[in-house]
Amino acid sequence: MFVNTAKFALQVLFAWCLLVDIAVAKPVQLELRSVVHVKLARLVLADVVNVDATTQREEVQLLAMPIGTMSLTAGNMVVQRKSLEKWVRQHAGARSRDIHWVGADAVNIMLQTQIVDAARMRSHARAVLEEWITLNARDAGSSNVAIRDQGELQALMVPAGEVKLRISHLSEPLSLRRKLSVLLDVLISDQVVKSVPVLFELSGSRQAYIARHDIARGGAVSDADVELRAVDIFVDVNEPVSPINFAKAAVRAKTGLRKGAILSRANIETVPDVARGDFVVLLARDGLVSIESRVEAMQDGYVGQIIKVRPGNSNNQIPAKIIEPGKVELR
């Protein structure tokens, strides 16, 4: 009971203090300035008025009220006092006293701006692109990639403040391509104010094997059949093959090759240790006893792989592991 009585007494005291405050409070006076210079495009009431308020709480509330955003291209704008009065009346909320306006009939708001040089933006985008290309060009087998500027890039007008540049992303999907776009974010005081696409064109070459003459499908490919030549890095072919030691690796054409064709993983392959259709030795072990028989390979394969083989007088296929060229082991 005592706790409830004390709580009720505090509520009554608070209400009485509030009534006293309302009774003695003076109207809030807003003095509109005639000319103001602002650093931020987002405007609040504090940017354009002087406030004569009784309490600090009311002053903070009024000064922080948003009143709009300036256009960066306009540079300045004029706001009539009547329009501002209406806006404040609509957004100030219920108040315990009137708000009175004095000062100028209109305010000329001038935004402090600065220029972000186009060369600075392109240089930043190029540096990031060069780093990215260094990694991707290595994967593509390219030793040299040239970057050329594409399109016009205009200097940018932004609000005053610390300028930072940041890359949002490169062209999607991320791949080495002839034309790339770098999306550059321009930040003022760590806030993005503009995103600018910066365009580049790439060129380069890579080493690839070229067929010296026509090669039939399944035909053997030796170093006498090819030559190593620089080709356009953006030529539309599958992944080019890495340098091959033809003396150690037997290579054949997976598809028919025309003279001048670029050798890739799609059109050549190393000759398998066991080829489909070959007759190979099947080794079957039972304890210390080993039995060898002749079977037909039903699949291509390399040492260590398991393929299907078929005994000579059977239609059944059984799995066997290739243990050396021409020999498999029953699994």
Side-chain angles (χ1 to χ4, degrees):
M1 179 65 71
F2 175 76
V3 173
N4 291 337
T5 303
K7 181 177 181 181
F8 176 74
L10 288 174
Q11 291 175 340
V12 171
L13 179 61
F14 175 78
W16 179 81
C17 291
L18 182 61
L19 290 173
V20 171
D21 181 64
I22 294 174
V24 300
K26 296 180 181 179
V28 176
Q29 179 173 288
L30 303 181
E31 180 184 5
L32 186 64
R33 307 173 193 172
S34 58
V35 178
V36 296
H37 294 81
V38 296
K39 293 183 178 181
L40 301 178
R42 295 182 180 88
L43 303 174
V44 295
L45 191 59
D47 294 322
V48 298
V49 300
N50 298 319
V51 179
D52 180 14
T54 302
T55 66
Q56 185 178 4
R57 176 179 59 83
E58 290 177 339
E59 183 177 349
V60 170
Q61 289 176 338
L62 288 173
L63 291 179
M65 183 183 299
I67 60 173
T69 302
M70 290 191 64
S71 168
L72 297 181
T73 57
N76 72 297
M77 66 184 223
V78 176
V79 178
Q80 300 296 322
R81 192 172 83 180
K82 289 183 178 179
S83 299
L84 199 55
E85 285 183 33
K86 182 178 179 180
W87 174 267
V88 172
R89 209 164 37 243
Q90 291 174 344
H91 294 82
R95 293 200 174 276
S96 60
R97 64 194 72 180
D98 294 332
I99 297 177
H100 297 294
W101 288 81
V102 295
D105 294 328
V107 56
N108 184 14
I109 307 172
M110 306 182 70
L111 178 64
Q112 297 180 26
T113 59
Q114 59 183 321
I115 299 296
V116 181
D117 190 84
R120 176 184 176 185
M121 291 188 287
R122 191 176 288 280
S123 175
H124 184 86
R126 176 185 283 268
V128 174
L129 181 58
E130 286 175 346
E131 181 179 356
W132 179 77
I133 287 176
T134 298
L135 299 176
N136 286 270
R138 185 187 305 126
D139 294 339
S142 173
S143 57
N144 61 311
V145 176
I147 304 175
R148 290 193 297 271
D149 298 341
Q150 282 290 302
E152 293 187 8
L153 187 62
Q154 302 294 331
L156 198 61
M157 180 182 294
V158 298
E162 182 185 4
V163 178
K164 292 182 180 179
L165 302 177
R166 180 183 68 191
I167 300 300
S168 288
H169 62 78
L170 301 175
S171 293
E172 294 290 349
L174 292 181
S175 61
L176 199 61
R177 54 177 60 185
R178 194 175 300 277
K179 291 188 177 181
L180 281 173
S181 174
V182 179
L183 189 60
L184 182 70
D185 286 342
V186 181
L187 299 87
I188 303 296
S189 302
D190 295 324
Q191 296 292 322
V192 177
V193 295
K194 191 74 173 179
S195 294
V196 182
V198 187
L199 306 180
F200 298 96
E201 183 175 24
L202 310 183
S203 62
S205 62
R206 59 184 170 187
Q207 295 292 307
Y209 286 110
I210 308 296
R212 294 179 183 270
H213 53 79
D214 293 351
I215 303 174
R217 178 181 179 182
V221 181
S222 67
D223 55 358
D225 300 310
V226 300
E227 62 178 317
L228 199 58
R229 187 192 304 170
V231 299
D232 186 350
I233 192 174
F234 298 107
V235 67
D236 188 20
V237 297
N238 289 281
E239 183 180 357
V241 294
S242 302
I244 300 172
N245 187 338
F246 288 97
K248 293 184 178 181
V251 179
R252 69 182 180 184
K254 293 171 64 176
T255 63
L257 296 174
R258 292 286 188 180
K259 179 181 179 180
I262 299 176
L263 274 60
S264 71
R265 299 186 186 279
N267 56 31
I268 69 166
E269 64 182 353
T270 55
V271 176
D273 296 316
V274 172
R276 180 179 180 179
D278 287 352
F279 284 93
V280 297
V281 174
L282 173 65
L283 179 65
R285 291 190 175 93
D286 185 7
L288 298 177
V289 179
S290 296
I291 302 174
E292 293 185 353
S293 60
R294 188 168 178 264
V295 295
E296 181 184 1
M298 307 306 295
Q299 296 172 294
D300 294 341
Y302 299 88
V303 172
Q305 291 183 331
I306 296 177
I307 62 171
K308 295 287 187 178
V309 298
R310 185 178 65 183
N313 296 322
S314 172
N315 290 325
N316 294 329
Q317 297 183 17
I318 58 177
K321 181 179 181 180
I322 302 174
I323 56 176
E324 61 181 75
K327 181 176 287 189
V328 297
E329 184 179 39
L330 185 66
R331 301 302 293 167

